[in-house]
Amino acid sequence: EAGVAQSPRYKIIEKRQSVAFWCNPISGHATLYWYQQILGQGPKLLIQFQNNGVVDDSQLPKDRFSAERLKGVDSTLKIQPAKLEDSAVYLCASSPGLAPREQFFGPGTRLTVL
Amino acid sequence: KQEVTQIPAALSVPEGENLVLNCSFTDSAIYNLQWFRQDPGKGLTSLLLIQSSQREQTSGRLNASLDKSSGRSTLYIAASQPGDSATYLCAVSSVTGNQFYFGTGTSLTVIP
């Protein structure tokens, strides 16, 4: 079974530029999560999708971050414009079913904002 | 809001030693608890998942226990090896919501 795929693996941008991350969850997984992990901290949930709909985006900085999940499968997370404090690893995870179940993570995208 | 704490933040042990990592959480109304391993620059690898109705789970040299009433979980690693060096994270999901809450992790170094 293929795991969660993410791209790119690394991205370096200047502040105020835009960036987008892509995630392809495990086939058939209804729930998809985007997390931000700052160095030395645990992952923080940015947004959670169940199929096409948003379940929780309470910690998503909506003035600069946006996310969508196309046809309940792939997802993109965008930052526009980026700030220095957005430097972090962005992790995508998926889980089967609609209740919180075991999560499976992708390799992450390391973003550096200069 | 659920808060998850992991102690110690860092741990260094000689190879072959048995060790225990701790995870505590403030809201005992959890759906499940999951332990992860994270290698530098990598994503999270799931180690063990404990459902709220379970007391423990085992996989190879790893054993995780759950005591909901006291808000605690422990991850026991037997006969540690240098390859076990990584950061270990626990995450809990609450029955009142859908999201997982993570601790800040324990950085483990096993010295050959």
Side-chain angles (χ1 to χ4, degrees):
Chain A
E1 174 180 83
V4 177
Q6 289 187 248
S7 67
R9 290 296 314 279
Y10 306 92
K11 191 73 176 179
I12 301 174
I13 61 173
E14 306 249 335
K15 61 182 179 184
R16 291 188 288 273
Q17 285 187 324
S18 302
V19 65
F21 312 127
W22 173 83
C23 174
N24 180 244
I26 293 173
S27 177
H29 280 196
T31 306
L32 185 147
Y33 309 84
W34 281 103
Y35 290 90
Q36 180 193 58
Q37 186 178 25
I38 293 172
L39 188 64
Q41 299 182 16
K44 181 185 82 170
L45 180 70
L46 292 175
I47 189 167
Q48 177 186 346
F49 294 95
Q50 282 182 352
N51 297 314
N52 288 340
V54 175
V55 174
D56 187 342
D57 63 356
S58 57
Q59 298 189 92
L60 186 73
K62 298 181 185 64
D63 58 333
R64 298 184 301 106
F65 286 64
S66 64
E68 61 179 0
R69 189 175 184 193
L70 304 174
K71 300 179 181 178
V73 183
D74 291 8
S75 178
T76 56
L77 176 70
K78 297 180 182 178
I79 307 175
Q80 180 179 13
K83 293 185 175 181
L84 297 177
E85 58 261 36
D86 298 332
S87 293
V89 176
Y90 291 84
L91 296 163
C92 179
S94 68
S95 65
L98 299 180
R101 301 180 189 273
E102 186 173 8
Q103 302 177 90
F104 298 85
F105 279 79
T109 297
R110 179 175 296 277
L111 174 67
T112 302
V113 182
L114 302 175
Chain B
K1 178 187 170 184
Q2 179 76 270
E3 293 187 6
V4 182
T5 304
Q6 291 188 246
I7 294 173
L11 181 63
S12 183
V13 300
E15 182 177 1
E17 192 164 295
N18 302 325
L19 59 100
V20 174
L21 307 180
N22 297 291
C23 173
S24 61
F25 46 94
T26 54
D27 183 356
S28 62
I30 67 169
Y31 193 84
N32 57 37
L33 184 147
Q34 196 167 357
W35 281 95
F36 295 90
R37 168 188 173 134
Q38 186 173 32
D39 293 285
K42 303 289 180 63
L44 278 66
T45 300
S46 179
L47 298 174
L48 290 164
L49 175 73
I50 309 178
Q51 302 289 355
S52 61
S53 59
Q54 298 174 320
R55 297 281 296 179
E56 65 178 320
Q57 281 285 347
T58 298
S59 176
R61 295 183 293 109
L62 305 179
N63 176 274
S65 67
L66 175 63
D67 183 345
K68 276 199 320 178
S69 61
S70 65
R72 293 181 184 176
S73 176
T74 61
L75 179 66
Y76 175 82
I77 302 177
S80 58
Q81 303 171 357
D84 295 331
S85 298
T87 296
Y88 291 80
L89 293 146
C90 71
V92 299
S93 62
S94 298
V95 297
T96 54
N98 292 300
Q99 70 163 287
F100 290 86
Y101 296 89
F102 279 83
T104 53
T106 294
S107 177
L108 172 66
T109 302
V110 180
I111 304 166

